[in-house]
Amino acid sequence: ETGVTQTPRHLVMGMTNKKSLKCEQHLGHNAMYWYKQSAKKPLELMFVYNFKEQTENNSVPSRFSPECPNSSHLFLHLHTLQPEDSALYLCASSHDRGNGYTFGSGTRLTVV
Amino acid sequence: QKEVEQDPGPLSVPEGAIVSLNCTYSNSAFQYFMWYRQYSRKGPELLMYTYSSGNKEDGRFTAQVDKSSKYISLFIRDSQPSDSATYLCAMSEKSGTYKYIFGTGTRLKVLA
C-alpha cells in the first residue's frame, strides 16, 4: 500500500444509480486530488483540495460531486453517470513542501 | 498541440537492454519534471523528480531534462522483466501543492 487507500477497487453502476468513491490518506499531506484515467489519454485532473478547501475544479460535469471533510479524506459522489464516464478514478495526495504526488490504486468504474 | 507529448508504445526490449523513454512539451514555464511507473491494476508511483535542466541518477534509472529543447528522458539500464509497466511523464510550473500535466504514458515490455 502506498499510504493512499481507495475504496471500492471496482464499481459497476447503472446510469440512474448514486454511488460514492472514497479516498483516505494518513501521510500528513495537506492536498488531495481526483484524477480520471482513460485508455490512451493523459491523466485528467478533476478536482484539487488544499487544507479541505477546493482550489481547482477542472470544468467537471455536475454529475461528479467532490467532498473533502478533512485533510485526510476525500469523496467523489456520482449520480446519473454516462457510459463514457467509465474509467479508472485515481486519488492522490501531496504536501506543500513535498515533491510529487502519492497515488492510490484507483477505483475501476464501469457505467452500464 | 498537446502540452505534453509521449509515444504510447508499446515498446518491447530484451532483458538487459538500455531503455530510453521520452516526452516533449510546449510550455516553457514548466520547471519540475517527474516520471511515474504504473503497473497493471495499480496507481502510478513516483520514480524520479527533477528540477530544471540536468541529469539525476537513482540506481538503474537516469532522468534527463533539456529545457532548451523542451525534452525530457528516462533511461533504464540493465532492464528487467519487472520493469514492464507504463511510464508516465509529468511536469508542472510550481512544486508542492500544484497540478501536474501528464503525458499519455509509454507501455514498456521487457522480454525475458
Side-chain angles (χ1 to χ4, degrees), chain A residues 54-105:
Chain A
Q54 188 179 117
T55 57
E56 186 97 18
N57 176 339
N58 209 25
S59 302
V60 180
S62 59
R63 57 186 185 270
F64 295 92
S65 174
E67 179 191 358
C68 187
N70 54 60
S71 293
S72 299
H73 294 86
L74 185 64
F75 296 89
L76 189 62
H77 304 300
L78 316 170
H79 63 98
T80 59
L81 294 191
Q82 305 298 312
E84 60 264 30
D85 296 322
S86 298
L88 180 68
Y89 288 84
L90 290 162
C91 173
S93 67
S94 71
H95 193 284
D96 265 348
R97 292 185 297 278
N99 302 327
Y101 296 160
T102 301
F103 282 94
S105 293

Side-chain angles (χ1 to χ4, degrees), chain B residues 24-105:
Chain B
T24 58
Y25 61 95
S26 57
N27 185 352
S28 57
F30 287 146
Q31 297 191 82
Y32 298 88
F33 304 90
M34 288 137 280
W35 286 95
Y36 285 83
R37 177 176 62 196
Q38 186 174 19
Y39 290 115
S40 181
R41 292 184 292 278
K42 294 282 190 182
E45 58 175 320
L46 182 66
L47 268 182
M48 302 288 279
Y49 183 99
T50 54
Y51 169 70
S52 195
S53 285
N55 292 0
K56 183 175 181 179
E57 191 173 316
D58 185 0
R60 296 184 296 112
F61 298 91
T62 299
Q64 199 171 74
V65 175
D66 182 349
K67 288 190 69 180
S68 62
S69 302
K70 298 192 184 72
Y71 188 89
I72 69 170
S73 299
L74 178 71
F75 298 96
I76 307 174
R77 290 184 298 281
D78 187 25
S79 55
Q80 303 295 310
S82 58
D83 295 326
S84 298
T86 297
Y87 289 80
L88 302 155
C89 64
M91 42 202 82
S92 71
E93 297 179 21
K94 299 178 184 178
S95 66
T97 300
Y98 201 70
K99 59 181 179 181
Y100 299 157
I101 307 300
F102 284 83
T104 52

